[in-house]
Amino acid sequence: MSQRGIAVLGSTGSIGTATLRVIARHVDRFRIVALTAFGNAALLREQARSVQPEYVGIVNRNGDGDPAWATGAECLVEAATRPDVDIVVNAIVGAAGLQATLAALRAGKRVALANKESLVIGGEFVLRACSEGGGEIVPVDSEHSAIVQCIGGRPASEVSRLIITASGGPFRDWDAERIARAGIQDALNHPTWNMGRKITIDSATLANKALEVIEAHYLFGLPYDRIDVVVHPHSIVHSFVEFVDGSVLAQLGFPTMELPILYALTHPDRISDAPARRFDPAAASPLTFEPVDLERFPSLALGIQAGCTGGAAPAVFNGANEEAVCLFLGGTIGFGDIPRAVDSALSLLGDAPAESIGDVTAADAAAREHVRHLFRQSGGASKSPAPVYV
Ligand code: NDP
Ligand code: MG
């Protein structure tokens, strides 16, 4: 069997390291040919020593990287488009992942997409790059992986509704006032998933679920009124698909990202793997579901509204949210300021059209600048140049 060449972008993060663990169990099928990181040279060096890739890139060398490594943001596109790469695992966090997704799809690669922000901000352009370049997107996000698995190749005309599950995050039971005053450690204390800091905060505001609704809209081509969200605190059911005859399928399992990562590499095949914990319905029960509360989690409502508005609104939503999360993690603003900042950016900038990728990146930059300006004015200045969630 010939090995498939893999580029792992964002190899030093939560999804990146999980990807390396998955691939280490399947070296007969997969060979890592490229790795990239933002600035964690120590871990990148260790990974490179272990997997011996042909190409290593670090966006920000900071003095302690290997002189042989490629540097600068261009390394992401270089790694993603190499001829020896068949599958690009895009595990970069944030809007910084967009150009690599576009380039990989234009070059006809399969993109195992963890970087949902690519689809949220560049949806139409990402789909166009995919069809023009002959590439393929297989989602890594557990909910979307579940949906792909439930749809099982049936035509879109047979799907009537998607129901995306949400754990509800650490503030599921908190009242609105307490949520607004939540501290950084409270927000980083996710009940069921161990993830990078940015997505963990997004899971506390439920902005992550809004990003996932928009992601599902583009991946599966359904209008927003046929994509629902339900809170399911134990994260066992990873999502539901309702078909036109009323039948509902779900995909279940104890929470682990290793399964959706492996499936994104092997889709539509399944290969033998040893799950960390086999499924046990008795241990998983009871499975409970509750409606989502948009009043206490305004980021979710704002994001879905941005998706419905279309144009540059999803890019404004995402850019404002990324900037606000960065300011929150830096201790500059409070938790309740995150949806306030996003709301303010959308009110001012949300009507902009998106006729080109340039429009999208301009909307993203304007949203970030608006949020920085908002808090400079109110005394909470941030001088940090780049949104890095470390
Ligand atoms: P992490 O913060 O753990 O890792 C992010 C990775 O991206 C790191 O390798 C980091 O490098 C790199 N990176 C950060 N900024 C840049 C940049 N500007 N340019 C290039 N590379 C950059 O994030 P996660 O692994 O948690 O999340 C990655 C993506 O996967 C996100 O889009 C998230 O929404 C999605 N996702 C994550 C899940 C999870 O379980 N973690 C679940 C579902 C989706 P360095 O370490 O050097 O800073
Ligand atoms: Mg998810």
Coordinates of all heavy atoms in Angstrom, one line a residue, residues 296-350:
R296 N -28.7 34.3 27.4 CA -27.5 34.2 28.2 C -26.2 34.1 27.4 O -25.1 34.3 27.9 CB -27.6 33.1 29.2 CG -28.6 33.4 30.4 CD -28.6 32.3 31.4 NE -28.9 31.0 30.8 CZ -28.2 29.8 31.0 NH1 -27.1 29.9 31.7 NH2 -28.5 28.7 30.4
F297 N -26.4 33.6 26.1 CA -25.2 33.4 25.3 C -25.4 34.2 24.0 O -25.6 33.6 22.9 CB -25.0 31.9 25.0 CG -24.7 31.1 26.3 CD1 -25.7 30.4 26.9 CD2 -23.5 31.2 26.9 CE1 -25.5 29.7 28.1 CE2 -23.2 30.5 28.1 CZ -24.2 29.8 28.7
P298 N -25.3 35.5 24.1 CA -25.6 36.4 22.9 C -24.6 36.1 21.7 O -25.0 36.4 20.6 CB -25.5 37.8 23.4 CG -24.7 37.7 24.7 CD -25.0 36.3 25.3
S299 N -23.4 35.6 22.0 CA -22.5 35.4 20.9 C -23.1 34.4 19.9 O -22.8 34.5 18.7 CB -21.1 34.9 21.4 OG -20.5 35.9 22.1
L300 N -23.8 33.4 20.4 CA -24.4 32.4 19.5 C -25.4 33.1 18.5 O -25.4 32.9 17.3 CB -25.0 31.3 20.3 CG -25.8 30.2 19.4 CD1 -24.9 29.6 18.4 CD2 -26.3 29.1 20.3
A301 N -26.3 33.9 19.1 CA -27.3 34.6 18.3 C -26.7 35.5 17.3 O -27.1 35.6 16.1 CB -28.3 35.4 19.2
L302 N -25.6 36.3 17.8 CA -25.0 37.2 16.9 C -24.3 36.5 15.7 O -24.4 37.0 14.5 CB -23.9 38.0 17.6 CG -24.4 39.0 18.7 CD1 -23.3 39.4 19.6 CD2 -25.0 40.2 17.9
G303 N -23.7 35.4 16.0 CA -23.0 34.6 14.9 C -24.0 34.0 13.9 O -23.8 34.1 12.7
I304 N -25.1 33.5 14.4 CA -26.1 32.9 13.4 C -26.7 34.1 12.6 O -26.9 33.9 11.4 CB -27.2 32.1 14.2 CG1 -26.5 30.9 14.9 CG2 -28.3 31.7 13.2 CD1 -27.5 30.1 15.8
Q305 N -26.9 35.2 13.3 CA -27.5 36.3 12.5 C -26.5 36.8 11.5 O -26.8 37.1 10.3 CB -27.8 37.5 13.5 CG -28.5 38.7 12.9 CD -29.7 38.3 12.1 OE1 -30.6 37.6 12.5 NE2 -29.8 38.7 10.8
A306 N -25.2 36.8 11.8 CA -24.2 37.2 10.8 C -24.1 36.2 9.7 O -24.0 36.6 8.5 CB -22.8 37.2 11.5
G307 N -24.3 34.9 10.0 CA -24.4 33.9 8.9 C -25.6 34.2 8.0 O -25.4 34.2 6.7
C308 N -26.7 34.5 8.5 CA -27.9 34.8 7.7 C -27.7 36.0 6.9 O -28.2 36.1 5.8 CB -29.2 34.9 8.6 SG -29.6 33.4 9.5
T309 N -27.1 37.0 7.5 CA -26.8 38.3 6.7 C -25.9 38.0 5.5 O -26.1 38.6 4.5 CB -26.2 39.3 7.7 OG1 -27.0 39.5 8.8 CG2 -25.9 40.6 6.9
G310 N -24.9 37.2 5.7 CA -24.0 36.9 4.6 C -23.1 38.0 4.3 O -22.8 38.8 5.2
G311 N -22.6 38.0 3.1 CA -21.6 39.1 2.7 C -20.4 38.9 3.6 O -19.9 37.8 3.9
A312 N -19.9 40.1 4.1 CA -18.7 40.1 5.0 C -19.1 39.9 6.5 O -18.2 39.8 7.3 CB -17.9 41.4 4.8
A313 N -20.4 39.8 6.8 CA -20.8 39.7 8.2 C -20.1 38.6 8.9 O -19.6 38.8 10.1 CB -22.3 39.7 8.3
P314 N -20.0 37.3 8.4 CA -19.4 36.3 9.1 C -17.9 36.6 9.4 O -17.4 36.2 10.5 CB -19.5 35.0 8.2 CG -20.7 35.3 7.4 CD -20.7 36.8 7.1
A315 N -17.2 37.3 8.5 CA -15.8 37.6 8.7 C -15.7 38.7 9.8 O -14.8 38.7 10.6 CB -15.2 38.1 7.4
V316 N -16.7 39.6 9.8 CA -16.7 40.6 10.9 C -16.9 40.0 12.2 O -16.3 40.2 13.2 CB -17.8 41.7 10.6 CG1 -17.9 42.6 11.8 CG2 -17.4 42.5 9.3
F317 N -17.9 39.1 12.2 CA -18.2 38.3 13.5 C -16.9 37.6 14.0 O -16.5 37.7 15.1 CB -19.3 37.3 13.2 CG -19.5 36.3 14.4 CD1 -20.2 36.7 15.5 CD2 -19.0 35.0 14.3 CE1 -20.3 35.8 16.6 CE2 -19.2 34.2 15.4 CZ -19.8 34.6 16.5
N318 N -16.3 36.9 13.1 CA -15.1 36.1 13.5 C -14.0 37.0 13.9 O -13.3 36.7 14.9 CB -14.7 35.2 12.3 CG -13.5 34.3 12.7 OD1 -13.7 33.4 13.5 ND2 -12.4 34.6 12.2
G319 N -13.7 38.0 13.1 CA -12.5 38.9 13.4 C -12.7 39.6 14.7 O -11.8 39.7 15.5
A320 N -13.9 40.1 14.9 CA -14.2 40.8 16.2 C -14.1 39.8 17.4 O -13.6 40.2 18.4 CB -15.6 41.5 16.1
N321 N -14.6 38.6 17.2 CA -14.6 37.7 18.2 C -13.1 37.3 18.5 O -12.7 37.2 19.7 CB -15.4 36.4 17.8 CG -15.4 35.4 18.9 OD1 -15.9 35.6 20.0 ND2 -14.9 34.2 18.6
E322 N -12.3 37.0 17.5 CA -10.9 36.6 17.7 C -10.2 37.7 18.5 O -9.5 37.4 19.5 CB -10.2 36.4 16.4 CG -10.5 35.1 15.8 CD -9.6 34.7 14.6 OE1 -8.4 35.2 14.6 OE2 -10.0 33.9 13.8
E323 N -10.4 39.0 18.1 CA -9.7 40.1 18.8 C -10.2 40.2 20.2 O -9.4 40.4 21.2 CB -10.0 41.4 18.0 CG -9.1 42.5 18.5 CD -7.6 42.3 18.2 OE1 -7.3 41.7 17.1 OE2 -6.8 42.6 19.0
A324 N -11.5 40.0 20.4 CA -12.1 40.2 21.8 C -11.6 39.0 22.7 O -11.2 39.3 23.9 CB -13.6 40.2 21.8
V325 N -11.5 37.8 22.1 CA -11.0 36.7 22.9 C -9.6 36.9 23.3 O -9.1 36.7 24.4 CB -11.2 35.4 22.2 CG1 -10.5 34.2 22.8 CG2 -12.7 35.0 22.0
C326 N -8.8 37.5 22.4 CA -7.4 37.7 22.7 C -7.3 38.8 23.8 O -6.4 38.6 24.7 CB -6.8 38.3 21.4 SG -5.0 38.4 21.4
L327 N -8.1 39.8 23.7 CA -8.1 40.8 24.8 C -8.5 40.3 26.1 O -8.0 40.6 27.2 CB -8.9 42.0 24.4 CG -8.5 42.8 23.2 CD1 -9.5 44.0 22.9 CD2 -7.1 43.4 23.4
F328 N -9.5 39.4 26.1 CA -10.0 38.7 27.3 C -8.9 37.9 27.9 O -8.6 38.0 29.1 CB -11.2 37.9 27.0 CG -11.6 37.1 28.2 CD1 -12.2 37.6 29.3 CD2 -11.5 35.7 28.2 CE1 -12.6 36.9 30.4 CE2 -11.9 34.9 29.3 CZ -12.4 35.5 30.4
L329 N -8.2 37.1 27.1 CA -7.1 36.2 27.6 C -5.9 37.0 28.1 O -5.2 36.5 28.9 CB -6.7 35.2 26.5 CG -7.7 34.0 26.3 CD1 -7.3 33.2 25.0 CD2 -7.8 33.1 27.5
G330 N -5.8 38.2 27.5 CA -4.7 39.1 28.0 C -5.1 39.9 29.2 O -4.3 40.7 29.7
G331 N -6.3 39.7 29.7 CA -6.7 40.3 30.9 C -7.1 41.8 30.7 O -7.3 42.5 31.7
T332 N -7.3 42.2 29.5 CA -7.7 43.6 29.2 C -9.2 43.9 29.3 O -9.6 45.0 29.7 CB -7.2 44.0 27.8 OG1 -5.8 43.7 27.6 CG2 -7.5 45.4 27.4
I333 N -10.0 42.9 28.9 CA -11.5 43.1 29.0 C -12.1 41.9 29.7 O -11.5 40.9 30.0 CB -12.1 43.2 27.6 CG1 -12.0 41.9 26.8 CG2 -11.4 44.3 26.8 CD1 -12.7 41.9 25.5
G334 N -13.4 42.2 30.1 CA -14.1 41.1 30.8 C -14.8 40.2 29.9 O -14.9 40.4 28.7
F335 N -15.3 39.1 30.4 CA -16.0 38.1 29.6 C -17.2 38.6 28.9 O -17.4 38.4 27.7 CB -16.4 36.9 30.5 CG -16.8 35.7 29.7 CD1 -15.9 34.8 29.1 CD2 -18.1 35.4 29.5 CE1 -16.3 33.7 28.4 CE2 -18.5 34.3 28.8 CZ -17.6 33.4 28.2
G336 N -18.0 39.4 29.6 CA -19.2 40.0 29.1 C -18.9 41.0 27.9 O -19.8 41.4 27.1
D337 N -17.6 41.5 27.9 CA -17.2 42.4 26.8 C -17.1 41.7 25.5 O -17.1 42.4 24.5 CB -15.9 43.1 27.2 CG -16.0 44.1 28.3 OD1 -17.1 44.7 28.5 OD2 -15.0 44.2 29.1
I338 N -16.9 40.4 25.5 CA -16.7 39.7 24.2 C -17.9 39.9 23.3 O -17.8 40.4 22.2 CB -16.3 38.2 24.5 CG1 -15.0 38.1 25.3 CG2 -16.1 37.5 23.1 CD1 -14.6 36.7 25.7
P339 N -19.1 39.4 23.8 CA -20.3 39.6 22.9 C -20.6 41.1 22.6 O -21.0 41.5 21.5 CB -21.4 38.9 23.6 CG -21.0 38.7 25.0 CD -19.5 38.6 25.0
R340 N -20.3 42.0 23.6 CA -20.5 43.4 23.4 C -19.7 43.9 22.2 O -20.1 44.7 21.4 CB -20.2 44.2 24.7 CG -21.5 44.4 25.5 CD -21.2 45.5 26.5 NE -20.3 45.1 27.6 CZ -20.7 44.4 28.6 NH1 -22.0 43.9 28.7 NH2 -19.9 44.0 29.6
A341 N -18.4 43.5 22.2 CA -17.5 43.9 21.2 C -18.0 43.4 19.8 O -17.9 44.1 18.8 CB -16.1 43.4 21.5
V342 N -18.4 42.2 19.8 CA -18.8 41.6 18.5 C -20.1 42.3 18.0 O -20.2 42.6 16.8 CB -19.0 40.0 18.7 CG1 -19.7 39.4 17.5 CG2 -17.7 39.3 19.1
D343 N -21.0 42.5 18.9 CA -22.2 43.2 18.5 C -21.9 44.6 18.0 O -22.4 45.0 16.9 CB -23.1 43.4 19.8 CG -24.5 43.8 19.5 OD1 -24.9 43.8 18.3 OD2 -25.3 44.0 20.4
S344 N -21.0 45.3 18.6 CA -20.6 46.7 18.2 C -20.0 46.6 16.8 O -20.4 47.4 15.9 CB -19.7 47.3 19.2 OG -19.1 48.4 18.7
A345 N -19.1 45.6 16.5 CA -18.5 45.5 15.2 C -19.5 45.2 14.1 O -19.4 45.7 13.0 CB -17.4 44.4 15.3
L346 N -20.4 44.3 14.5 CA -21.4 43.9 13.5 C -22.3 45.1 13.1 O -22.7 45.2 12.0 CB -22.2 42.7 14.0 CG -21.5 41.3 13.8 CD1 -22.3 40.2 14.6 CD2 -21.4 40.9 12.3
S347 N -22.7 45.8 14.2 CA -23.6 47.0 13.9 C -22.9 48.0 13.0 O -23.6 48.5 12.1 CB -23.9 47.7 15.2 OG -24.4 46.9 16.1
L348 N -21.6 48.2 13.1 CA -20.9 49.2 12.3 C -20.5 48.6 11.0 O -20.6 49.3 10.0 CB -19.7 49.6 13.1 CG -19.0 50.8 12.5 CD1 -19.8 52.1 12.8 CD2 -17.6 51.0 13.1
L349 N -20.1 47.4 10.9 CA -19.4 46.9 9.7 C -20.1 45.7 9.0 O -19.6 45.2 8.0 CB -18.0 46.4 10.1 CG -17.1 47.4 10.8 CD1 -15.9 46.7 11.5 CD2 -16.6 48.4 9.8
G350 N -21.2 45.2 9.7 CA -21.8 43.9 9.2 C -22.5 44.0 7.9 O -22.8 42.9 7.3

